[in-house]
Amino acid sequence: MIKRVIGLLAALCLLGGCAPTEFDASRYVQGILDSTYLERYDDYIELTGVTAEQAKDEFLQGLDAEADVFLQYYGIESVSQPVRDELISMYREIYQKSKYTVGEAQKTGEGYRVEVTISPIDIFSISGSAVDAKINELAAQSGGPERNDDLANGIIGAVRAYIPQIGYTEERTVSVLVYRDEEGLYGLGEDDFYSLDQWIIDYSL
């Protein structure tokens, strides 16, 4: 499954850059990825000028957006805040398994081209049978899940049990452009960010 474009995540890539003589495009991309998925903010803060509080807030926005992807994926319209908090907590654990390698930047007329090799997390393929079993169990107990919270909690529990067994599907190599704007600052566009983000977690079964 390819993720839907979610506006909250885009904010991560539209912040300020650095003076051209000091700019390290590979480090910039690494900083964005580390801040987005691993809660490692130092490079991102240094290269963009955001505060630690802003960086953490963007990380939490990303988790919240990922929770929406989960609900859409399983056809769940909405859940209570406690269940959403559990869902966000689950993704926080999954994100810590993110695996990627950022290559050396190649200068172009538009800025820098950077290749990133991503190992997509396989959590949804390895937990698929357990999730199906849990959904069937809930259906048998109640004649069909009567509450979104019941269904979401059941799926969260089934998926979470497989986090210690996380592996990775086939590597994907993505080339992104770190562009230079009219003011001489560098940034990563929304489309390029999403081309990376869509492979961090493999939603295919």
Side-chain angles (χ1 to χ4, degrees):
M1 170 183 160
I2 303 299
K3 290 185 188 178
R4 292 176 182 269
V5 172
I6 300 171
L8 289 173
L9 287 172
L12 293 168
C13 308
L14 299 177
L15 297 169
C18 304
T21 56
E22 302 173 354
F23 187 67
D24 183 338
S26 293
R27 186 181 172 206
Y28 177 65
V29 172
Q30 183 82 44
I32 288 172
L33 293 172
D34 288 352
S35 181
T36 304
Y37 304 109
L38 300 178
E39 294 185 81
R40 298 175 186 168
Y41 306 131
D42 290 350
D43 283 347
Y44 185 61
I45 289 170
E46 182 179 341
L47 291 172
T48 64
V50 301
T51 66
E53 183 178 356
Q54 287 173 320
K56 184 174 182 179
D57 184 60
E58 289 170 1
F59 170 76
L60 294 175
Q61 288 180 40
L63 287 175
D64 195 60
E66 198 79 61
D68 286 334
V69 172
F70 176 96
L71 296 176
Q72 293 168 8
Y73 187 66
Y74 288 107
I76 302 171
E77 291 185 2
S78 63
V79 293
S80 66
Q81 190 59 50
V83 173
R84 191 175 186 87
D85 290 343
E86 280 299 308
L87 182 53
I88 288 171
S89 176
M90 181 191 78
Y91 270 110
R92 197 169 199 158
E93 292 180 55
I94 293 171
Y95 270 11
Q96 293 303 310
K97 304 292 187 178
S98 298
K99 185 177 178 181
Y100 44 80
T101 302
V102 179
E104 292 186 9
Q106 302 296 321
K107 190 169 181 59
T108 72
E110 299 173 281
Y112 293 88
R113 181 64 62 177
V114 180
E115 281 197 352
V116 181
T117 301
I118 300 169
S119 298
I121 294 169
D122 68 356
I123 185 67
F124 288 97
S125 60
I126 63 174
S127 65
S129 295
V131 169
D132 289 344
K134 176 57 67 173
I135 292 173
N136 291 335
E137 176 188 329
L138 289 170
Q141 289 176 355
S142 63
E146 296 179 355
R147 297 181 57 206
N148 288 336
D149 280 7
D150 293 337
L151 178 57
N153 268 327
I155 297 172
I156 290 168
V159 172
R160 206 166 203 166
Y162 283 82
I163 290 178
Q165 301 177 39
I166 277 177
Y168 303 91
T169 58
E170 182 181 354
E171 287 184 349
R172 306 284 180 167
T173 298
V174 180
S175 177
V176 297
L177 175 67
V178 179
Y179 66 88
R180 184 180 179 186
D181 68 15
E182 295 177 354
E183 297 179 358
L185 300 180
Y186 289 93
L188 185 67
E190 291 182 31
D191 289 345
D192 279 317
F193 174 73
Y194 291 128
S195 70
L196 299 171
D197 181 64
Q198 68 178 345
W199 293 118
I200 295 295
I201 299 175
D202 187 347
Y203 278 90
S204 61
L205 299 178

